[in-house]
Amino acid sequence: MTADTATKARPRRRTGGVRTPLLYTIASVALLVMAAPFLWMALSAFKTKQDLTASPPVWIPSRWTLDNFTALLDQLDMPQYFLNSLIVAVLVTVSNLLFCSMLGYALAKLDFTGRSKVFAVVLAALMVPGNLMILPLYVLMNGLGLIDTYAGLVLPFAAGAFGVFLMRQFMLSVPDELLEAARLDGAGEWYIFWRIVIPLVKPALATLTIFTFLGSWNNFIWPLIATNDPDKYTLPVALATFANDPNRTVGGGNGMLMAGSLLVVLPVLAVFIVLQRHFTQGIATAGLK
Amino acid sequence: MSLTTGPAVPQAAVDKSPDSGGKSGRTRRGRRSLSKHNLTGWLFSTPFLVLFGVFMLFPIVATLLMSFTDFGARNVTRPLEAEFVGLDNYTQLFQDDKFLKALFNTAYFVVVGVPATIVLGLLAAILLNNGIDRARTLFRVGFYAPVVTTIVAVAVVWRFVLDPSDGLIASLASEVGLTAPDFLGSETWAMPSLITMAVWRNLGTVMVLCIAGLQAIPADVREAARLDGAGAWQELRGITVPLLRPTLLYATVITTIGYLNVFEEPFVMTQGGPSDSTLTVSLDMYREGFNFFHMGYASAMAYVLFVVIMGITVLQLRLLKDNTR
């Protein structure tokens, strides 16, 4: 709505005098709207009970307090959930980096019978919604005794089609001559893959690392299903369970929820801000299909 | 076919797909290396394909088989004892008012949410690409940050922003003498509230795709249009949107798939209520499957949703193909 007026009101020449301040005003207002929930969350986490329920709302805490955080750490085993999320995300990321680059290399650089069929399977897998698989996956994991284990949380995400697609696209741009020269020198395929191709596709690996790690960190429905024991909850599952708990004390509970949300979101936002260039690159690459 | 030219992948690389060969020279070279790389090719593919087969292909097939059975709680430990019931689950589904409501709610989410996300994402892209030179990174980070944040955490926050007693919006409204509705507690307002949050969260993806697409449009095309006296609106309709069409359709496809699967927002914010007004197909499937252990029935739901998603995706991809020819 706000941006619509921007395009209509834009004068023809690029160097319009009124145009620039107007556009900055519109963009800044939009940015503020986008950031408002984050600001509300971050500030509320440090509010006292009185400030949390004050009407009109208090943006800046009249008294800053860490009570919400201490109460949260008292009631919930946040370090354990944090550790669970971290372990699962690291394992998922490492296995995706390895297996997706291996298949990506085969699809980009090795001519083998059935290659186009394998690639077709990868492309088809990109389109299958994850929710289609969770019912038998639960039965399977239960049968294997992997409910409430890290393996049960990791294995379904250990090799994703998006990673293969991304790695293949990048590896296509590695010159064939380079690989031929190494082969003439007697290098084996594993050596070529590991010592020549992998170092050349580091930007792609960085992009894949970020996307896989965050995808795992933010994943909700599978950890919700695959864990019953609170000791194995990931952060989002613990937070949702706490948020939907009817026994949660009402006034103080709200501040604790804001503190919990902040603790879940903060690492993600920090990583994103540092590495934001790779994000936009990854999204743009995914759009290349 | 080039949709958006990302900075990371040279265009030439994309065109070299394995099946796009066919020139005689390439075929000969291909055949020679075919014998050379057959074993290695499969060795490099095997780890992925094994994981893919066990944790994706098998469950996809198993869901289909389960949807023709009365798979229930006892079958979780004894899956083979489930009884074949033919199409019973499917016929029952389409007489189930709750499922039909979930289907309607999901359609509502898509029909309102997708256009809103695409339009706002496109406008944000145009604004940031043409109007903003300074602090561009700040704006991009701000618009894209909701995409990367944990949905459960933001859903929790939105629940308080929308709270009727001491929420942000209610308090601001009472400041100016208005009474805000009980957003999440009202059958009329609950769905629009969830959609608003989804749009807020996802427009950044569309924005980034569109910025990549906009940067692929040659500057002289725009310059020529401006010299011919095209206004901003004409430029948008005559140049930007047509040339961005592949990008916009791709963004539409992925947004549609995402919204058809919507689960976290209603799960955390409303638990499907009030009176099932925000019950989506994915949430209904989760409940039938994991709260009531009607897994055969839930599998049928999953497949109905899958068929809908495939149908819409194929339709949208066909549009994409026709328009780039």
Side-chain angles (χ1 to χ4, degrees):
Chain A
M1 172 187 64
T2 43
D4 186 39
T5 35
T7 41
K8 273 182 187 159
R10 191 204 302 156
R12 269 163 223 179
R13 308 298 308 181
R14 253 208 107 119
T15 47
V18 205
R19 188 182 149 227
T20 313
L22 180 69
L23 288 182
Y24 273 92
T25 310
I26 292 165
S28 304
V29 170
L31 184 68
L32 213 59
V33 171
M34 296 299 285
F38 290 122
L39 292 173
W40 183 252
M41 165 178 69
L43 292 168
S44 298
F46 298 97
K47 283 180 194 163
T48 55
K49 271 182 199 172
Q50 288 87 330
D51 281 355
L52 279 165
T53 50
S55 181
V58 184
W59 275 92
I60 310 292
S62 59
R63 188 169 66 82
W64 294 75
T65 172
L66 289 174
D67 287 356
N68 296 321
F69 291 93
T70 48
L72 183 75
L73 294 175
D74 225 33
Q75 283 195 29
L76 297 185
D77 195 357
M78 291 300 276
Q80 181 66 48
Y81 307 140
F82 193 90
L83 191 70
N84 292 343
S85 280
L86 193 69
I87 289 173
V88 171
V90 167
L91 291 176
V92 165
T93 307
V94 169
S95 83
N96 265 282
L97 285 178
L98 180 64
F99 299 139
C100 295
S101 15
M102 282 172 68
L103 181 53
Y105 176 63
L107 290 176
K109 292 297 172 196
L110 302 172
D111 264 316
F112 60 96
T113 336
R115 177 170 78 165
S116 55
K117 286 197 183 80
V118 173
F119 187 55
V121 165
V122 170
L123 288 183
L126 275 174
M127 287 199 281
V128 178
N131 292 353
L132 188 66
M133 290 158 274
I134 56 174
L135 293 149
L137 205 53
Y138 173 78
V139 178
L140 177 70
M141 288 303 185
N142 191 55
L144 294 172
L146 294 179
I147 296 297
D148 284 327
T149 66
Y150 292 130
L153 291 169
V154 169
L155 282 171
F157 303 94
F162 170 76
V164 176
F165 182 73
L166 189 78
M167 294 319 295
R168 174 187 172 270
Q169 298 302 82
F170 270 75
M171 286 177 177
L172 283 171
S173 62
V174 174
D176 282 331
E177 290 75 18
L178 203 62
L179 309 188
E180 283 304 328
R183 281 181 195 130
L184 285 176
D185 285 346
E189 279 316 312
W190 183 255
Y191 182 92
I192 293 174
F193 167 73
W194 202 242
R195 291 299 171 86
I196 298 174
V197 177
I198 286 294
L200 285 174
V201 295
K202 268 185 189 155
L205 292 171
T207 304
L208 184 57
T209 303
I210 298 165
F211 274 88
T212 319
F213 192 91
L214 279 189
S216 175
W217 187 269
N218 292 341
N219 191 12
F220 179 59
I221 187 164
W222 179 248
L224 178 71
I225 291 162
T227 55
N228 300 317
D229 176 5
D231 277 354
K232 283 296 186 294
Y233 282 178
T234 58
L235 278 172
V237 177
L239 190 67
T241 309
F242 183 60
N244 287 339
D245 183 356
N247 297 324
R248 182 170 50 83
T249 41
V250 180
N254 292 357
M256 285 161 65
L257 268 180
M258 292 300 120
S261 301
L262 186 65
L263 289 181
V264 175
V265 164
L266 212 56
V268 175
L269 277 185
V271 170
F272 165 62
I273 288 166
V274 173
L275 301 173
Q276 54 96 14
R277 209 167 284 276
H278 292 287
F279 274 91
T280 44
Q281 211 172 60
I283 292 279
T285 310
L288 277 168
K289 267 203 301 185
Chain B
M1 172 171 60
S2 77
L3 300 194
T4 52
T5 312
V9 180
Q11 195 54 48
V14 181
D15 294 330
K16 260 198 290 173
S17 68
D19 23 38
S20 75
K23 292 185 190 89
S24 58
R26 204 181 176 276
T27 317
R28 207 177 306 128
R29 198 175 67 99
R31 196 174 298 142
R32 193 196 54 189
S33 39
L34 206 66
S35 52
K36 209 165 89 184
H37 292 309
N38 245 344
L39 181 66
T40 355
W42 282 105
L43 282 177
F44 272 83
S45 313
T46 303
F48 179 93
L49 291 176
V50 169
L51 286 167
F52 175 83
V54 176
F55 298 108
M56 195 155 174
L57 209 58
F58 165 74
I60 290 172
V61 176
T63 307
L64 185 64
L65 296 178
M66 275 164 74
S67 75
F68 299 119
T69 69
D70 67 349
F71 208 101
R74 68 190 177 91
N75 301 108
V76 171
T77 45
R78 283 166 295 176
L80 296 179
E81 285 174 22
E83 299 263 343
F84 179 79
V85 296
L87 289 171
D88 281 7
N89 288 327
Y90 290 93
T91 49
Q92 203 188 326
L93 265 185
F94 288 99
Q95 292 157 11
D96 179 348
D97 288 342
K98 209 159 108 197
F99 176 73
L100 294 177
K101 191 157 190 187
L103 211 54
F104 172 82
N105 290 340
T106 308
Y108 180 7
F109 205 98
V110 169
V111 168
V112 178
V114 172
T117 311
I118 301 294
V119 169
L120 288 175
L122 172 65
L123 291 175
I126 293 172
L127 183 67
L128 294 205
N129 200 50
N130 295 332
I132 307 290
D133 298 316
R134 278 163 190 228
R136 190 181 262 194
T137 307
L138 174 74
F139 284 106
R140 278 194 199 183
V141 166
F143 281 81
Y144 193 70
V147 178
V148 298
T149 49
T150 314
I151 182 144
V152 172
V154 276
V156 162
V157 174
W158 272 77
R159 223 165 71 167
F160 289 109
V161 170
L162 297 169
D163 190 285
S165 56
D166 51 11
L168 181 60
I169 293 176
S171 310
L172 289 176
S174 72
E175 276 290 272
V176 290
L178 295 170
T179 314
D182 178 5
F183 291 104
L184 298 176
S186 131
E187 284 184 51
T188 324
W189 286 100
M191 201 48 138
S193 304
L194 296 195
I195 295 173
T196 305
M197 185 193 144
V199 171
W200 169 84
R201 193 173 134 80
N202 292 299
L203 72 89
T205 305
V206 180
M207 180 194 77
V208 168
L209 283 169
C210 287
I211 287 179
L214 284 170
Q215 286 173 348
I217 298 177
D220 44 348
V221 176
R222 284 172 184 290
E223 283 307 316
R226 289 208 186 99
L227 286 176
D228 287 346
W233 178 245
Q234 284 161 309
E235 189 188 318
L236 180 72
R237 283 206 47 189
I239 295 179
T240 310
V241 170
L243 286 178
L244 268 188
R245 183 163 242 150
T247 308
L248 288 172
L249 276 163
Y250 173 72
T252 307
V253 171
I254 58 165
T255 311
T256 308
I257 295 178
Y259 286 3
L260 283 169
N261 280 305
V262 62
F263 173 77
E264 283 92 343
E265 288 92 339
F267 183 90
V268 178
M269 291 172 74
T270 57
Q271 284 125 63
S275 352
D276 292 338
S277 62
T278 56
L279 182 73
T280 62
V281 176
S282 287
L283 183 57
D284 199 15
M285 183 199 78
Y286 170 83
R287 279 192 189 166
E288 288 291 340
F290 296 104
N291 291 348
F292 311 130
F293 282 99
H294 300 154
M295 290 188 132
Y297 193 55
S299 299
M301 273 184 204
Y303 256 88
V304 170
L305 184 63
F306 177 57
V307 168
V308 170
I309 290 175
M310 274 298 146
I312 291 178
T313 308
V314 166
L315 197 76
Q316 288 175 332
L317 288 177
R318 185 160 293 171
L319 275 170
L320 180 107
K321 211 172 169 187
D322 286 348
N323 282 297
T324 45
R325 199 176 283 149

mmCIF file of all heavy atoms in Angstrom, chain A residues 80-111:
data_model
loop_
_atom_site.group_PDB
_atom_site.id
_atom_site.type_symbol
_atom_site.label_atom_id
_atom_site.label_comp_id
_atom_site.label_asym_id
_atom_site.label_seq_id
_atom_site.Cartn_x
_atom_site.Cartn_y
_atom_site.Cartn_z
ATOM 1 N N GLN A 80 20.083 -27.210 27.494
ATOM 2 C CA GLN A 80 19.929 -28.535 26.882
ATOM 3 C C GLN A 80 19.251 -28.429 25.509
ATOM 4 O O GLN A 80 19.691 -29.044 24.538
ATOM 5 C CB GLN A 80 19.101 -29.440 27.808
ATOM 6 C CG GLN A 80 18.883 -30.849 27.287
ATOM 7 C CD GLN A 80 20.180 -31.644 27.204
ATOM 8 O OE1 GLN A 80 20.962 -31.680 28.140
ATOM 9 N NE2 GLN A 80 20.430 -32.256 26.050
ATOM 10 N N TYR A 81 18.189 -27.609 25.405
ATOM 11 C CA TYR A 81 17.490 -27.451 24.126
ATOM 12 C C TYR A 81 18.403 -26.799 23.099
ATOM 13 O O TYR A 81 18.397 -27.161 21.918
ATOM 14 C CB TYR A 81 16.218 -26.602 24.295
ATOM 15 C CG TYR A 81 15.291 -27.094 25.363
ATOM 16 C CD1 TYR A 81 14.632 -26.211 26.213
ATOM 17 C CD2 TYR A 81 15.076 -28.459 25.548
ATOM 18 C CE1 TYR A 81 13.780 -26.661 27.202
ATOM 19 C CE2 TYR A 81 14.228 -28.923 26.538
ATOM 20 C CZ TYR A 81 13.593 -28.013 27.370
ATOM 21 O OH TYR A 81 12.763 -28.466 28.350
ATOM 22 N N PHE A 82 19.171 -25.827 23.585
ATOM 23 C CA PHE A 82 20.124 -25.153 22.715
ATOM 24 C C PHE A 82 21.130 -26.169 22.169
ATOM 25 O O PHE A 82 21.402 -26.224 20.967
ATOM 26 C CB PHE A 82 20.842 -24.057 23.517
ATOM 27 C CG PHE A 82 21.608 -23.094 22.671
ATOM 28 C CD1 PHE A 82 21.005 -21.940 22.190
ATOM 29 C CD2 PHE A 82 22.932 -23.330 22.356
ATOM 30 C CE1 PHE A 82 21.709 -21.047 21.402
ATOM 31 C CE2 PHE A 82 23.646 -22.449 21.568
ATOM 32 C CZ PHE A 82 23.028 -21.299 21.091
ATOM 33 N N LEU A 83 21.654 -27.003 23.070
ATOM 34 C CA LEU A 83 22.622 -28.022 22.676
ATOM 35 C C LEU A 83 21.997 -28.999 21.679
ATOM 36 O O LEU A 83 22.620 -29.351 20.665
ATOM 37 C CB LEU A 83 23.102 -28.773 23.927
ATOM 38 C CG LEU A 83 24.298 -29.692 23.735
ATOM 39 C CD1 LEU A 83 25.552 -28.887 23.484
ATOM 40 C CD2 LEU A 83 24.486 -30.588 24.956
ATOM 41 N N ASN A 84 20.756 -29.432 21.938
ATOM 42 C CA ASN A 84 20.073 -30.349 21.020
ATOM 43 C C ASN A 84 19.949 -29.734 19.628
ATOM 44 O O ASN A 84 20.271 -30.374 18.622
ATOM 45 C CB ASN A 84 18.676 -30.691 21.545
ATOM 46 C CG ASN A 84 18.718 -31.525 22.807
ATOM 47 O OD1 ASN A 84 19.738 -32.122 23.137
ATOM 48 N ND2 ASN A 84 17.608 -31.567 23.522
ATOM 49 N N SER A 85 19.475 -28.494 19.578
ATOM 50 C CA SER A 85 19.335 -27.815 18.288
ATOM 51 C C SER A 85 20.681 -27.722 17.571
ATOM 52 O O SER A 85 20.776 -27.958 16.367
ATOM 53 C CB SER A 85 18.781 -26.396 18.479
ATOM 54 O OG SER A 85 17.395 -26.424 18.668
ATOM 55 N N LEU A 86 21.712 -27.401 18.352
ATOM 56 C CA LEU A 86 23.042 -27.225 17.773
ATOM 57 C C LEU A 86 23.587 -28.536 17.219
ATOM 58 O O LEU A 86 24.062 -28.600 16.078
ATOM 59 C CB LEU A 86 23.983 -26.655 18.844
ATOM 60 C CG LEU A 86 25.320 -26.136 18.337
ATOM 61 C CD1 LEU A 86 25.113 -24.874 17.510
ATOM 62 C CD2 LEU A 86 26.260 -25.846 19.497
ATOM 63 N N ILE A 87 23.500 -29.608 18.016
ATOM 64 C CA ILE A 87 24.024 -30.909 17.581
ATOM 65 C C ILE A 87 23.312 -31.364 16.310
ATOM 66 O O ILE A 87 23.950 -31.750 15.322
ATOM 67 C CB ILE A 87 23.857 -31.966 18.699
ATOM 68 C CG1 ILE A 87 24.824 -31.666 19.845
ATOM 69 C CG2 ILE A 87 24.106 -33.373 18.166
ATOM 70 C CD1 ILE A 87 24.623 -32.553 21.063
ATOM 71 N N VAL A 88 21.984 -31.271 16.315
ATOM 72 C CA VAL A 88 21.217 -31.716 15.151
ATOM 73 C C VAL A 88 21.584 -30.870 13.927
ATOM 74 O O VAL A 88 21.848 -31.400 12.843
ATOM 75 C CB VAL A 88 19.705 -31.639 15.441
ATOM 76 C CG1 VAL A 88 18.893 -31.886 14.186
ATOM 77 C CG2 VAL A 88 19.321 -32.645 16.516
ATOM 78 N N ALA A 89 21.651 -29.561 14.107
ATOM 79 C CA ALA A 89 21.941 -28.682 12.965
ATOM 80 C C ALA A 89 23.343 -28.941 12.411
ATOM 81 O O ALA A 89 23.542 -28.956 11.191
ATOM 82 C CB ALA A 89 21.782 -27.225 13.368
ATOM 83 N N VAL A 90 24.318 -29.165 13.287
ATOM 84 C CA VAL A 90 25.692 -29.413 12.822
ATOM 85 C C VAL A 90 25.752 -30.732 12.045
ATOM 86 O O VAL A 90 26.311 -30.799 10.941
ATOM 87 C CB VAL A 90 26.692 -29.418 14.001
ATOM 88 C CG1 VAL A 90 28.033 -29.980 13.565
ATOM 89 C CG2 VAL A 90 26.865 -28.013 14.558
ATOM 90 N N LEU A 91 25.135 -31.772 12.600
ATOM 91 C CA LEU A 91 25.178 -33.067 11.919
ATOM 92 C C LEU A 91 24.464 -33.005 10.560
ATOM 93 O O LEU A 91 24.971 -33.515 9.556
ATOM 94 C CB LEU A 91 24.547 -34.154 12.801
ATOM 95 C CG LEU A 91 25.331 -34.539 14.058
ATOM 96 C CD1 LEU A 91 24.558 -35.561 14.889
ATOM 97 C CD2 LEU A 91 26.697 -35.094 13.690
ATOM 98 N N VAL A 92 23.299 -32.373 10.542
ATOM 99 C CA VAL A 92 22.555 -32.251 9.279
ATOM 100 C C VAL A 92 23.395 -31.493 8.249
ATOM 101 O O VAL A 92 23.490 -31.885 7.091
ATOM 102 C CB VAL A 92 21.200 -31.541 9.516
ATOM 103 C CG1 VAL A 92 20.575 -31.080 8.208
ATOM 104 C CG2 VAL A 92 20.237 -32.456 10.253
ATOM 105 N N THR A 93 24.043 -30.416 8.694
ATOM 106 C CA THR A 93 24.817 -29.598 7.766
ATOM 107 C C THR A 93 26.008 -30.358 7.205
ATOM 108 O O THR A 93 26.240 -30.377 5.994
ATOM 109 C CB THR A 93 25.293 -28.307 8.467
ATOM 110 O OG1 THR A 93 24.166 -27.665 9.037
ATOM 111 C CG2 THR A 93 25.971 -27.382 7.494
ATOM 112 N N VAL A 94 26.759 -31.022 8.087
ATOM 113 C CA VAL A 94 27.956 -31.736 7.627
ATOM 114 C C VAL A 94 27.567 -32.836 6.628
ATOM 115 O O VAL A 94 28.185 -32.975 5.562
ATOM 116 C CB VAL A 94 28.723 -32.344 8.833
ATOM 117 C CG1 VAL A 94 29.798 -33.295 8.356
ATOM 118 C CG2 VAL A 94 29.333 -31.227 9.667
ATOM 119 N N SER A 95 26.527 -33.582 6.934
ATOM 120 C CA SER A 95 26.188 -34.676 6.027
ATOM 121 C C SER A 95 25.649 -34.140 4.701
ATOM 122 O O SER A 95 25.931 -34.699 3.645
ATOM 123 C CB SER A 95 25.211 -35.647 6.690
ATOM 124 O OG SER A 95 23.911 -35.188 6.583
ATOM 125 N N ASN A 96 24.910 -33.025 4.746
ATOM 126 C CA ASN A 96 24.450 -32.444 3.484
ATOM 127 C C ASN A 96 25.612 -31.943 2.634
ATOM 128 O O ASN A 96 25.630 -32.141 1.426
ATOM 129 C CB ASN A 96 23.473 -31.291 3.744
ATOM 130 C CG ASN A 96 22.045 -31.756 3.705
ATOM 131 O OD1 ASN A 96 21.464 -31.955 2.646
ATOM 132 N ND2 ASN A 96 21.485 -31.983 4.877
ATOM 133 N N LEU A 97 26.574 -31.284 3.284
ATOM 134 C CA LEU A 97 27.724 -30.766 2.536
ATOM 135 C C LEU A 97 28.422 -31.906 1.817
ATOM 136 O O LEU A 97 28.758 -31.810 0.637
ATOM 137 C CB LEU A 97 28.702 -30.070 3.485
ATOM 138 C CG LEU A 97 28.293 -28.689 3.993
ATOM 139 C CD1 LEU A 97 29.333 -28.153 4.964
ATOM 140 C CD2 LEU A 97 28.111 -27.723 2.832
ATOM 141 N N LEU A 98 28.635 -33.010 2.522
ATOM 142 C CA LEU A 98 29.377 -34.123 1.937
ATOM 143 C C LEU A 98 28.572 -34.806 0.826
ATOM 144 O O LEU A 98 29.018 -34.888 -0.322
ATOM 145 C CB LEU A 98 29.744 -35.127 3.037
ATOM 146 C CG LEU A 98 30.536 -36.338 2.554
ATOM 147 C CD1 LEU A 98 31.895 -35.910 2.018
ATOM 148 C CD2 LEU A 98 30.709 -37.361 3.669
ATOM 149 N N PHE A 99 27.370 -35.274 1.162
ATOM 150 C CA PHE A 99 26.625 -36.105 0.217
ATOM 151 C C PHE A 99 26.092 -35.304 -0.970
ATOM 152 O O PHE A 99 26.061 -35.801 -2.091
ATOM 153 C CB PHE A 99 25.490 -36.836 0.937
ATOM 154 C CG PHE A 99 25.976 -37.756 2.015
ATOM 155 C CD1 PHE A 99 25.320 -37.853 3.229
ATOM 156 C CD2 PHE A 99 27.124 -38.523 1.827
ATOM 157 C CE1 PHE A 99 25.779 -38.695 4.233
ATOM 158 C CE2 PHE A 99 27.591 -39.367 2.821
ATOM 159 C CZ PHE A 99 26.920 -39.459 4.029
ATOM 160 N N CYS A 100 25.689 -34.061 -0.723
ATOM 161 C CA CYS A 100 25.171 -33.251 -1.821
ATOM 162 C C CYS A 100 26.287 -32.846 -2.774
ATOM 163 O O CYS A 100 26.082 -32.804 -3.983
ATOM 164 C CB CYS A 100 24.444 -32.016 -1.308
ATOM 165 S SG CYS A 100 22.964 -32.433 -0.385
ATOM 166 N N SER A 101 27.489 -32.536 -2.235
ATOM 167 C CA SER A 101 28.553 -32.185 -3.191
ATOM 168 C C SER A 101 29.012 -33.413 -3.962
ATOM 169 O O SER A 101 29.372 -33.297 -5.129
ATOM 170 C CB SER A 101 29.745 -31.466 -2.560
ATOM 171 O OG SER A 101 29.753 -31.575 -1.201
ATOM 172 N N MET A 102 28.990 -34.578 -3.317
ATOM 173 C CA MET A 102 29.379 -35.781 -4.065
ATOM 174 C C MET A 102 28.434 -36.023 -5.244
ATOM 175 O O MET A 102 28.872 -36.211 -6.378
ATOM 176 C CB MET A 102 29.378 -37.002 -3.129
ATOM 177 C CG MET A 102 30.612 -37.076 -2.245
ATOM 178 S SD MET A 102 30.485 -38.377 -1.000
ATOM 179 C CE MET A 102 30.544 -39.832 -2.024
ATOM 180 N N LEU A 103 27.128 -35.998 -4.967
ATOM 181 C CA LEU A 103 26.187 -36.230 -6.068
ATOM 182 C C LEU A 103 26.226 -35.062 -7.051
ATOM 183 O O LEU A 103 26.143 -35.272 -8.257
ATOM 184 C CB LEU A 103 24.766 -36.447 -5.527
ATOM 185 C CG LEU A 103 23.704 -36.724 -6.589
ATOM 186 C CD1 LEU A 103 24.104 -37.864 -7.509
ATOM 187 C CD2 LEU A 103 22.359 -37.036 -5.951
ATOM 188 N N GLY A 104 26.387 -33.848 -6.535
ATOM 189 C CA GLY A 104 26.489 -32.689 -7.420
ATOM 190 C C GLY A 104 27.664 -32.846 -8.389
ATOM 191 O O GLY A 104 27.543 -32.556 -9.583
ATOM 192 N N TYR A 105 28.781 -33.336 -7.869
ATOM 193 C CA TYR A 105 29.965 -33.555 -8.709
ATOM 194 C C TYR A 105 29.664 -34.605 -9.773
ATOM 195 O O TYR A 105 29.971 -34.418 -10.960
ATOM 196 C CB TYR A 105 31.135 -34.000 -7.832
ATOM 197 C CG TYR A 105 32.389 -34.357 -8.595
ATOM 198 C CD1 TYR A 105 33.065 -33.401 -9.343
ATOM 199 C CD2 TYR A 105 32.889 -35.659 -8.583
ATOM 200 C CE1 TYR A 105 34.202 -33.717 -10.050
ATOM 201 C CE2 TYR A 105 34.030 -35.989 -9.279
ATOM 202 C CZ TYR A 105 34.680 -35.016 -10.020
ATOM 203 O OH TYR A 105 35.805 -35.339 -10.722
ATOM 204 N N ALA A 106 29.050 -35.715 -9.363
ATOM 205 C CA ALA A 106 28.732 -36.771 -10.326
ATOM 206 C C ALA A 106 27.804 -36.222 -11.421
ATOM 207 O O ALA A 106 28.009 -36.481 -12.605
ATOM 208 C CB ALA A 106 28.081 -37.954 -9.612
ATOM 209 N N LEU A 107 26.812 -35.425 -11.025
ATOM 210 C CA LEU A 107 25.841 -34.922 -12.007
ATOM 211 C C LEU A 107 26.456 -33.869 -12.920
ATOM 212 O O LEU A 107 26.075 -33.734 -14.077
ATOM 213 C CB LEU A 107 24.621 -34.342 -11.284
ATOM 214 C CG LEU A 107 23.720 -35.349 -10.581
ATOM 215 C CD1 LEU A 107 22.615 -34.635 -9.820
ATOM 216 C CD2 LEU A 107 23.118 -36.338 -11.573
ATOM 217 N N ALA A 108 27.424 -33.112 -12.397
ATOM 218 C CA ALA A 108 27.992 -32.034 -13.205
ATOM 219 C C ALA A 108 29.170 -32.514 -14.050
ATOM 220 O O ALA A 108 29.378 -32.030 -15.157
ATOM 221 C CB ALA A 108 28.431 -30.883 -12.303
ATOM 222 N N LYS A 109 29.949 -33.454 -13.525
ATOM 223 C CA LYS A 109 31.239 -33.733 -14.153
ATOM 224 C C LYS A 109 31.485 -35.175 -14.554
ATOM 225 O O LYS A 109 32.497 -35.473 -15.173
ATOM 226 C CB LYS A 109 32.363 -33.297 -13.191
ATOM 227 C CG LYS A 109 32.442 -31.789 -12.999
ATOM 228 C CD LYS A 109 32.778 -31.112 -14.314
ATOM 229 C CE LYS A 109 32.661 -29.607 -14.194
ATOM 230 N NZ LYS A 109 32.608 -28.964 -15.519
ATOM 231 N N LEU A 110 30.647 -36.096 -14.169
ATOM 232 C CA LEU A 110 30.890 -37.488 -14.537
ATOM 233 C C LEU A 110 29.748 -37.964 -15.426
ATOM 234 O O LEU A 110 28.595 -37.912 -15.033
ATOM 235 C CB LEU A 110 30.974 -38.371 -13.281
ATOM 236 C CG LEU A 110 32.037 -37.991 -12.243
ATOM 237 C CD1 LEU A 110 31.873 -38.813 -10.981
ATOM 238 C CD2 LEU A 110 33.438 -38.169 -12.813
ATOM 239 N N ASP A 111 30.095 -38.402 -16.646
ATOM 240 C CA ASP A 111 29.079 -38.954 -17.528
ATOM 241 C C ASP A 111 28.852 -40.404 -17.164
ATOM 242 O O ASP A 111 29.712 -41.237 -17.399
ATOM 243 C CB ASP A 111 29.580 -38.887 -18.983
ATOM 244 C CG ASP A 111 29.047 -37.648 -19.666
ATOM 245 O OD1 ASP A 111 27.864 -37.365 -19.503
ATOM 246 O OD2 ASP A 111 29.846 -36.980 -20.358
#
